[in-house]
Amino acid sequence: MARLVGRRAVFAVPVLLVVTFGVFAVAEASPFDPVKAYAGTAGLTASQENLDQLRANLGVDKPLVGRWWDWLTSALTGDLGDSSTLRQPVADAIGERIGWSVLLAATAFVLAILLGSALGVLAARRPGGWLDRGITSLAYTLEAAPPFWLGLLVMWLFALKLDVLPAGGLTDTASTTVTFDQVTSHLILPAAVLAISQLPWFVLYVRQGVGDALGDDPVRGARARGLAERTVLLKHAFRSGLLPVLTLVGSRVPELITGALLVETVFSWPGIAAATVGAATSVDFPLLAALTALATAAVLLGNLLADLLYGLADPRVGFDG
Amino acid sequence: MRARSIRTTGAVAAAAALAVAASACSSPDDGKGSDGAKDSAVVGIAYEPETLSPLLGYGKDGNSKIFDGLLTHDADMKLRPALAAKLPKVSDDGKTYTYELRKGVKFSDGKPFSAKDVVFTYETILDKKTNNASKTELDALKSVEAKGSDGVVFHLKYPYAPFAERTVLPIAPEHIAGKQDVNKGDFSTKPVGTGPYELVKWSRGEKIVFKANPGYWGGAPKIKNFTMAIIKDDDVRATRLRTGDLDGAILPPNLAKTFESDGQKKTYAAKTFDYRVVTLPTGNKVAGSTAVRRALDIGVDRKAMVDSILEGAGKEAYGPVPTDSPWFTKGTERKFDAAKAKKILDDAGWKPGKGGIREKDGVQASFPLWYLTGDKLRQDHALAYASDAKKLGIKVEVQSGTWEVIEPRMAKDAVLAGGGSPADPDFDQYTLLKSSLAGDGFNNMAHYDNAKVDKALEDARESGDRAERGAAYDTVQRELVKNPGYTFLTHIDHLYVVNESFGDLSTQVEPHDHGLASGPWWNVEDWQPKK
């Protein structure tokens, strides 16, 4: 197990190098000018001399490889550089936002797992029954629905038509403080949308796993011994049927990140999504590189987690595979 | 790692996330003061500043809420003392400005304000290492020195009549901003000033929250809590205004109209210097021809643009100076006259050719016109311009692009540009028309080159005499009739809808830039809300 973790950690280094360099290269090739982006509206009246000075101060006139190397070496010493669009250190910029993104993603993930397992078990009880058919087709429909579209739909229904939940933001516009109640009510819609977009995979995996387990010998034996249906379903079938779901948890991470970015945008959630989009269109190299490295690390960790869980759940699979 | 420890880790992570959410709790505010009058206001704006640090350009045109400048503008845009005790003394050669400072003023952290803060602010902005994109505006300034703790003297490189207008820029406290890197320190997100409001919180992309500064030298504001919600989308802003989430908002004409029958809301139309203009670059064989320029100048129907595109919220423009400004030269209005425009083109040898497009010496009367992608108002102006030009036999090809696409083409292609700065006629006209600034960034985009205009612009900025300056700007405006390097189309009113419970409000004359201080809330510190 330790060897697997160690090997993955070593493998992560070249991946992160390639990905961050790719970010610098793509940004370099983009038509956006970081100096114009920095200056904003003032850039429209600034003299060329002023703009040239800004270019030198921001260090964006250096060649691509040098700039990447500077970023990398200082990042290794713990200095992630300064975001030009946000006018603050990258570490602060990410620190202020990532908590809200984690809160959103974690809530949605827990919701998706709980709800997905419950629906999956319900569907597996009577394969081919009306409940199974209903849940399965709902899962396939949701699988095809983009979170962006879902977001607009629930916002229209709950915020505009029914006016029961806020349409966006972290707190009410007039509120000056961040309170638990406010955050909770503002979290409901975005977390629900994100959870729903993740839901189908869990439903279908649990349904399959539990359904298979119900046909296995131990379960048939338990039934023959006259145990209650409830006990059979939850104690025997659900336990073994849940194993494949554990591996799914890790592999859903990339999808969760991209889904969260879209949902944050729709609901003006103050996570890292807006910063990511802003960093990309303003060629804010330090912020963009740090965010990309962060997302890459999350995906690698997710994959590692999936493999570890799989190994734990099924002893026949070693950690060296 | 066993299943149990995995569960525990997950629970810890979730608990940590919730702890983040629950931190910073405090009692909510219902927005009512003790006397029953509404003491909080929430307004919706479309743009967000890049920074709140005056050292990086925030509030350079004055009225920045958190900060004060030496001077400030009143409702009529006249200069009034703020941190200065009175208007400056200007030396006879126009190169030295002396300010006496107001005594007893404190920053909102309780530390006293003094001349050294003024010197620090200006010197930091002029510093090459400071990433301030607006520092060109202080080009005239050579040095600034403190005279004791309550006197400041500015020395200029050349006589510059509108210099006092530049001293509305906000003063930063040296004891805070001087201790950090001005380009990235947290002063730009946690500013401290002498102004009527203090910053509570800036949630980027979401809102900026202010609270009244109880120790403000001008008296504590009645509106205790003031929030600016940043909502880029016009429709969302209108919706949130309708649901009561916002007390006021800036809206485009078509959406502002939907509030006309709402008895609880009032609409304010702010007069502006905000113009839309077509640049006619000298580097283009067609747009550079004086006959074509003059024909377009009288052959486009400005009145129709005001009526249809702006729904009446604006006026026809004949130059950067609006027709109702005291600096406007009466008699330079151009009457729409398509027949005369055609005659000018005929006389100059632009004869109708294939498909009704005119030609001269083998050159077809055609040029591209760019507008900024996504800007509906500019698109409408560009299409109307092209349609009017077509009736004269000039083909204008309208295209859209981002500034990255447009900028390299500005010397040859026409651009639908915008601008406007009400404080002094020099601010717009010098950068727009001075030949030596041709192609310098976004200055003189049309590469306009007219010796008489150059001379008049210099005379106007150097003379401290109002009549002399007026005569010089008259010359500029008359020259623009003879050889227009730009076709000015409209000046645009900015529309705001606000709850009537705040009483009768006013607006200032506004610039092109939609600063935070624009709109009826330009003097929110003076609002007297009704019970």
Side-chain angles (χ1 to χ4, degrees):
Chain A
M1 188 170 162
R3 275 176 63 193
L4 175 71
V5 175
R7 211 172 46 235
R8 289 297 179 84
V10 173
F11 171 69
V13 173
V15 171
L16 282 171
L17 288 181
V18 169
V19 167
T20 54
F21 185 78
V23 167
F24 275 79
V26 169
E28 171 89 4
S30 82
F32 298 113
D33 180 355
V35 175
K36 289 273 157 49
Y38 181 90
T41 40
L44 298 179
T45 50
S47 68
Q48 196 58 47
E49 184 196 349
N50 196 178
L51 291 174
D52 291 344
Q53 182 67 46
L54 265 181
R55 192 175 295 279
N57 287 1
L58 293 174
V60 291
D61 51 350
K62 285 190 214 153
L64 166 66
V65 178
R67 216 162 19 179
W68 173 70
W69 186 249
D70 286 352
W71 175 81
L72 187 71
T73 45
S74 57
L76 288 177
T77 62
D79 176 14
L80 291 173
D82 304 301
S83 159
S84 60
T85 45
L86 303 176
R87 268 86 161 161
Q88 67 183 136
V90 167
D92 292 0
I94 295 179
E96 279 171 14
R97 290 168 180 75
I98 197 148
W100 300 120
S101 288
V102 169
L103 174 69
L104 174 64
T107 312
F109 213 43
V110 170
L111 254 178
I113 292 173
L114 293 181
L115 203 61
S117 303
L119 287 174
V121 171
L122 280 180
R125 273 178 68 187
R126 304 230 190 295
W130 63 269
L131 200 57
D132 179 30
R133 282 200 310 252
I135 290 173
T136 317
S137 36
L138 179 72
Y140 283 125
T141 314
L142 288 179
E143 201 177 345
F148 194 82
W149 178 81
L150 269 178
L152 291 175
L153 192 73
V154 300
M155 193 193 283
W156 171 80
L157 182 64
F158 292 100
L160 283 181
K161 283 286 146 190
L162 303 176
D163 195 21
V164 286
L165 286 168
L170 184 66
T171 55
D172 287 347
T173 316
S175 159
T176 49
T177 48
V178 178
T179 62
F180 184 78
D181 288 359
Q182 291 239 334
V183 173
T184 312
S185 68
H186 282 75
L187 180 64
I188 294 173
L189 284 187
V193 168
L194 193 54
I196 288 171
S197 73
Q198 297 293 314
L199 192 62
W201 282 268
F202 292 103
V203 172
L204 296 173
Y205 261 65
V206 171
R207 175 185 167 275
Q208 188 68 39
V210 174
D212 287 353
L214 279 173
D216 283 351
D217 287 347
V219 173
R220 294 223 305 267
R223 275 199 173 131
R225 291 202 306 276
L227 290 177
E229 181 64 23
R230 214 183 130 80
T231 318
V232 173
L233 192 69
L234 294 180
K235 289 265 157 87
H236 294 83
F238 184 56
R239 265 199 143 158
S240 58
L242 207 58
L243 291 181
V245 175
L246 288 180
T247 67
L248 188 66
V249 169
S251 63
R252 294 311 302 162
V253 169
E255 193 86 19
L256 191 68
I257 292 174
T258 51
L261 292 188
L262 291 174
V263 170
E264 281 183 13
T265 314
V266 174
F267 289 97
S268 338
W269 188 257
I272 50 177
T276 309
V277 175
T281 55
S282 317
V283 209
D284 186 348
F285 290 102
L287 184 58
L288 193 58
L291 286 172
T292 317
L294 204 65
T296 313
V299 170
L300 291 174
L301 272 175
N303 284 339
L304 177 64
L305 187 67
D307 290 349
L308 286 178
L309 288 173
Y310 201 82
L312 282 175
D314 191 343
R316 285 168 300 175
V317 182
F319 287 116
D320 299 324
Chain B
M1 210 196 284
R2 308 302 310 219
R4 181 181 302 273
S5 71
I6 293 168
R7 270 204 303 274
T8 316
T9 317
V12 170
L18 282 173
V20 171
S23 64
C25 291
S26 86
S27 64
D29 192 328
D30 65 355
K32 299 269 191 214
S34 50
D35 59 353
K38 200 164 157 34
D39 69 354
S40 74
V42 183
V43 301
I45 56 172
Y47 296 90
E48 182 174 33
E50 283 91 13
T51 170
L52 291 179
S53 167
L55 303 170
L56 297 180
Y58 169 64
K60 67 187 175 64
D61 298 317
N63 205 353
S64 48
K65 296 289 164 256
I66 309 167
F67 298 95
D68 292 304
L70 292 175
L71 304 180
T72 188
H73 291 120
D74 66 10
D76 301 320
M77 290 301 286
K78 288 225 168 58
L79 285 173
R80 293 275 177 267
L83 288 178
K86 48 188 154 191
L87 294 177
K89 272 195 213 102
V90 186
S91 67
D92 289 342
D93 65 357
K95 285 166 75 174
T96 311
Y97 283 67
T98 309
Y99 289 78
E100 187 188 313
L101 302 185
R102 190 180 293 274
K103 290 192 181 95
V105 175
K106 286 190 165 72
F107 285 101
S108 58
D109 66 348
K111 298 266 165 51
F113 154 80
S114 83
K116 70 181 175 49
D117 298 303
V118 179
V119 173
F120 163 76
T121 300
Y122 283 87
E123 283 184 345
T124 308
I125 292 174
L126 289 179
D127 188 344
K128 273 193 184 338
K129 293 212 180 60
T130 303
N131 296 340
N132 182 322
S134 312
K135 75 173 78 180
T136 322
E137 295 185 352
L138 290 179
D139 181 58
L141 184 55
K142 188 170 75 186
S143 65
V144 49
E145 61 170 321
K147 278 260 152 72
S149 67
D150 54 4
V152 175
V153 184
F154 293 88
H155 300 282
L156 307 190
K157 293 180 204 155
Y158 46 85
Y160 187 53
F163 182 74
E165 289 284 351
R166 294 301 191 201
T167 58
V168 299
L169 79 78
I171 303 300
E174 186 184 21
H175 67 271
I176 296 172
K179 289 203 180 104
Q180 47 179 270
D181 183 336
V182 287
N183 292 325
K184 60 195 187 206
D186 66 2
F187 182 67
S188 68
T189 49
K190 298 185 178 68
V192 173
T194 58
Y197 285 89
E198 295 171 49
L199 182 76
V200 175
K201 189 170 166 251
W202 178 18
S203 169
R204 219 180 271 261
E206 193 197 355
K207 62 187 172 187
I208 308 176
V209 184
F210 302 96
K211 70 169 197 285
N213 174 2
Y216 182 51
W217 57 267
K222 286 241 169 41
I223 299 288
K224 301 287 176 217
N225 300 295
F226 182 55
T227 304
M228 292 175 151
I230 298 133
I231 306 160
K232 293 208 170 102
D233 190 274
D234 293 334
D235 290 300
V236 175
R237 222 178 305 120
T239 306
R240 286 174 64 173
L241 181 63
R242 207 165 277 127
T243 61
D245 187 24
L246 303 177
D247 296 316
I250 181 165
L251 291 173
N254 58 339
L255 285 170
K257 236 181 195 176
T258 61
F259 288 91
E260 264 171 15
S261 55
D262 188 330
Q264 308 287 308
K265 306 253 192 314
K266 276 188 188 174
T267 302
Y268 297 89
K271 296 286 164 218
T272 76
F273 269 50
D274 187 3
Y275 57 75
R276 291 297 175 276
V277 66
V278 174
T279 67
L280 298 170
T282 39
N284 185 297
K285 278 195 181 133
V286 180
S289 144
T290 310
V292 170
R293 293 170 167 203
R294 288 186 54 213
L296 286 168
D297 202 30
I298 57 169
V300 294
D301 192 350
R302 297 174 171 91
K303 178 89 173 50
M305 294 186 194
V306 171
D307 292 345
S308 63
I309 302 173
L310 306 180
E311 308 210 19
K315 52 189 169 296
E316 295 133 79
Y318 305 100
V321 183
T323 45
D324 54 3
S325 160
W327 296 99
F328 183 74
T329 309
K330 292 268 181 286
T332 58
E333 296 94 338
R334 271 75 107 187
K335 245 186 87 189
F336 171 56
D337 191 341
K340 194 172 157 200
K342 283 181 189 156
K343 188 164 180 304
I344 292 173
L345 291 169
D346 287 335
D347 292 348
W350 289 96
K351 300 283 182 225
K354 283 191 291 284
I357 311 297
R358 289 171 189 269
E359 284 176 357
K360 183 187 178 183
D361 307 329
V363 177
Q364 209 186 29
S366 161
F367 60 88
L369 170 62
W370 291 87
Y371 70 90
L372 188 63
T373 307
D375 190 326
K376 178 81 170 41
L377 209 52
R378 291 187 191 206
Q379 180 186 358
D380 289 347
H381 276 92
L383 292 173
Y385 187 78
S387 140
D388 286 349
K390 193 161 179 230
K391 290 176 197 150
L392 307 177
I394 299 169
K395 193 167 130 200
V396 176
E397 296 158 281
V398 177
Q399 297 177 55
S400 80
T402 61
W403 285 122
E404 280 81 9
V405 175
I406 298 170
E407 200 195 354
R409 295 174 164 85
M410 285 185 329
K412 293 236 184 255
D413 294 3
V415 179
L416 209 126
S421 183
D424 192 277
D426 176 79
F427 295 171
D428 269 329
Q429 302 189 27
Y430 195 84
T431 52
L432 200 63
L433 300 169
K434 186 83 168 96
S435 62
S436 59
L437 292 179
D440 176 59
F442 284 83
N443 292 328
N444 194 353
M445 281 166 76
H447 293 240
Y448 189 69
D449 189 353
N450 183 330
K452 271 193 198 159
V453 169
D454 281 349
K455 166 99 177 36
L457 289 171
E458 286 297 342
D459 292 348
R461 69 163 26 182
E462 287 182 10
S463 169
D465 181 62
R466 173 68 178 79
E468 246 176 75
R469 299 191 73 202
Y473 287 121
D474 285 347
T475 308
V476 173
Q477 291 174 67
R478 293 211 177 88
E479 279 301 311
L480 280 181
V481 179
K482 290 185 215 153
N483 179 14
Y486 298 79
T487 315
F488 286 88
L489 304 175
T490 56
H491 276 104
I492 293 164
D493 290 349
H494 297 159
L495 297 180
Y496 301 87
V497 179
V498 187
N499 279 355
E500 56 105 45
S501 64
F502 293 111
D504 275 320
L505 308 176
S506 61
T507 55
Q508 269 181 321
V509 178
E510 296 183 0
H512 168 61
D513 230 356
H514 298 257
L516 295 189
S518 301
W521 39 90
W522 74 274
N523 64 344
V524 61
E525 62 272 22
D526 298 336
W527 285 11
Q528 306 289 335
K530 289 192 241 173
K531 275 186 193 165

